[in-house]
């Protein structure tokens, strides 16, 4: 088994001291590895693939809080809507509407984070700050506005820094997200109550916390490197 128990205990203590929540990113990892951390008290786990998440949900304890941290396609929301605890990567108004629709069908309110584009790379998904402003203004005929989607709650923001060795680049990107977060947190109304800032992964979580993150998503430090070809 590849789970690094001492690393988990050390990171967990470090994060508890700083009041930062830990999402253990278990994508591509077997059930036994998740169970090992569950047995130590870990309840928040993150997954990137809808199918894989749905299968793991079926097999594991129902008190696990499942975080969907990947890029979510609208046509797949229905598979995770009955149970998902928090969707991190919401990057369009259409996706918000679909999550709301599936929330309504399942008679629950689904927690969402808006993904904000902070990296230089084109490949990373998310709202640009300008689009965020527009989102806040949206009024369309089917829903009126984002604030009237009663089966979602936007509880925060999520961002990913550039893949870079330059600590200053990463630091500046996280800092820029914190500024946006603070600005919009003041606007909290109706179904928008921003309290969670999800930023930081294995390689950059310490910088993210220094820049104001209160939820980190850590995979490889806990579960070892991922082997995608074996999947
Ligand atoms: C895979 C993934 C992580 C975890 O990455 P590690 O480098 O293994 O810690 C965090 N966030 C997102 C969005 C991911 O896709």
């Amino acid at each position: 088994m590849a789970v690094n128990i001492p690393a988990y205990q050390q990171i967990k203590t470090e994060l508890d001291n700083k009041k930062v929540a830990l999402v253990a990113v278990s994508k591509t990892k077997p059930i036994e590895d998740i169970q090992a951390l569950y047995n130590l008290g870990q309840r928040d786990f993150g997954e990137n693939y809808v199918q894989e998440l749905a299968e793991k949900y079926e097999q594991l304890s129902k008190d696990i809080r499942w975080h969907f941290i990947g890029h979510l396609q609208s046509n797949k929301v229905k598979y995770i809507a009955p149970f998902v605890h928090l969707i991190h990567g919401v990057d369009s108004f259409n996706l918000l509407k679909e999550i709301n629709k599936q929330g309504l069908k399942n008679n629950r309110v689904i927690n969402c984070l808006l993904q904000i584009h902070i990296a230089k790379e084109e490949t990373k998904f998310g709202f640009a700050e300008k689009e965020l402003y527009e989102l806040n203004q949206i009024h369309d005929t089917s829903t009126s506005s984002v604030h009237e989607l009663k089966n979602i709650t936007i509880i925060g923001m999520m961002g990913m820094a550039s893949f870079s060795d330059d600590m200053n680049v990463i630091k500046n990107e996280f800092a820029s997200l914190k500024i946006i977060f603070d600005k919009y947190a003041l606007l909290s109304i109706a179904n928008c109550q921003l309290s969670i800032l999800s930023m930081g992964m294995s390689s950059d979580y310490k910088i993210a916390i220094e820049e104001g993150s209160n939820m980190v998503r850590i995979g490889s430090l806990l579960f070892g490197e991922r082997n995608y070809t074996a999947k």
Side-chain angles (χ1 to χ4, degrees), residues 25 27 48 69 158 160 201-202 217-220 226:
V25 177
K27 63 189 181 200
N48 280 48
I69 62 171
M158 177 268 210
M160 284 199 275
M201 338 200 320
S202 291
R217 311 172 309 271
I218 298 183
S220 38
R226 286 175 294 275

Side-chain angles (χ1 to χ4, degrees), residues 23 25 28 34 52 57 71 73 77-78 88 118 122-124 129 132 143 150 152 158 163 172 183 201 204 206 227:
V23 178
V25 177
T28 78
I34 299 173
E52 183 179 345
Y57 167 74
H71 181 64
Q73 290 168 300
V77 176
K78 57 176 176 285
H88 287 234
I118 51 170
E122 286 294 322
T123 51
K124 299 235 159 83
E129 193 186 356
L132 206 57
T143 53
K150 295 199 167 43
I152 59 158
M158 177 268 210
F163 187 73
N172 288 337
K183 192 162 127 190
M201 338 200 320
D204 56 19
K206 285 178 194 281
N227 181 356

Side-chain angles (χ1 to χ4, degrees), residues 128-138 183-184 187:
E129 193 186 356
K130 180 170 157 287
E131 294 172 306
L132 206 57
Y133 176 78
E134 287 161 6
L135 178 71
N136 201 40
Q137 309 295 315
I138 281 177
K183 192 162 127 190
Y184 279 84
L187 296 175

Side-chain angles (χ1 to χ4, degrees), residues 14 113-114 141 182 198 215:
E14 176 188 359
L113 302 180
L114 298 180
T141 46
D182 286 343
S198 165
M215 181 177 277

